[in-house]
Amino acid sequence: MRPCYISKFLFRDAQQRRHIRTFVTNTTPTAEHPLKGYKKYAQQFKNKPGSYMTSFAILHEVTAIVPFPLIYYMLDYSSVNIPFPDSFVVEGNKAINKIRKYYGYESLESDNKVMMHLVTTYCVVKALLPLRIAASVAMTPFFAESIIGPILNYIPRQLKIKRSI
């Protein structure tokens, strides 16, 4: 009897091979068994990893940039009092005023809360990191297929046209 090697295991008879085959699944979609759920997206990622990674990176940065002004203006226009000691605000504004003067901007008043709002906004955006990653992962397949893919298909066509002229 010839041994059958599957993965790292050695199976000596056909009955053991048949038993193992029942547990092996095919990840290639067929007309009879299309992929469902996350397996469909995993297969698309295997086929186009560059599009999906680019899409995720863009979405991750967009989910960091878009909430920044929204949170800042919400803090600036609301009466939310951030619990920082006044001495921190005065010392922070002194340090920032040195930088602002160096670059030719006006100095901030010593009790100005702009820097505290910026710091708080930054901290809130960083605290939202798990939600941002989840949103980026959820939007990646749609973004990769509907925006990044067509752009990547369009660029080579344009390069061929320019080379032939």
Side-chain angles (χ1 to χ4, degrees):
M1 181 184 316
R2 207 172 71 199
C4 173
Y5 293 94
I6 297 177
S7 296
K8 295 181 182 178
F9 302 102
L10 175 65
F11 297 100
R12 297 199 183 274
D13 62 357
Q15 185 180 8
Q16 286 179 339
R17 270 196 320 261
R18 257 186 260 114
H19 181 69
I20 283 300
R21 284 184 190 156
T22 61
F23 294 109
V24 176
T25 59
N26 187 6
T27 59
T28 307
T30 62
E32 300 167 357
H33 303 289
L35 294 175
K36 296 179 182 175
Y38 76 91
K39 290 180 182 179
K40 176 175 71 172
Y41 300 116
Q43 185 67 32
Q44 289 174 347
F45 178 76
K46 286 179 187 177
N47 294 337
K48 305 173 195 170
S51 296
Y52 275 66
M53 292 188 321
T54 303
S55 175
F56 177 81
I58 291 170
L59 288 169
H60 181 68
E61 294 306 318
V62 166
T63 58
I65 294 169
V66 169
F68 208 88
L70 301 174
I71 295 169
Y72 174 80
Y73 286 118
M74 183 189 72
L75 288 172
D76 197 32
Y77 291 120
S78 68
S79 60
V80 175
N81 188 15
I82 304 163
F84 287 108
D86 289 334
S87 62
F88 284 0
V89 175
V90 171
E91 290 299 318
N93 283 339
K94 282 182 187 177
I96 293 300
N97 282 337
K98 288 179 186 176
I99 297 170
R100 289 178 64 96
K101 285 180 185 175
Y102 179 79
Y103 287 107
Y105 294 106
E106 297 176 13
S107 297
L108 295 174
E109 299 160 6
S110 63
D111 61 342
N112 195 325
K113 300 279 186 178
V114 170
M115 295 313 295
M116 297 315 296
H117 291 314
L118 286 172
V119 168
T120 304
T121 301
Y122 179 79
C123 292
V124 169
V125 169
K126 287 298 177 186
L128 293 174
L129 183 64
L131 293 175
R132 288 177 36 222
I133 290 174
S136 298
V137 167
M139 293 185 291
T140 293
F142 172 77
F143 194 74
E145 295 295 326
S146 64
I147 296 174
I148 301 296
I151 290 172
L152 292 178
N153 290 335
Y154 178 76
I155 291 172
R157 285 186 303 202
Q158 293 303 315
L159 292 177
K160 286 180 185 176
I161 292 169
K162 289 180 181 177
R163 287 181 187 166
S164 64
I165 292 177

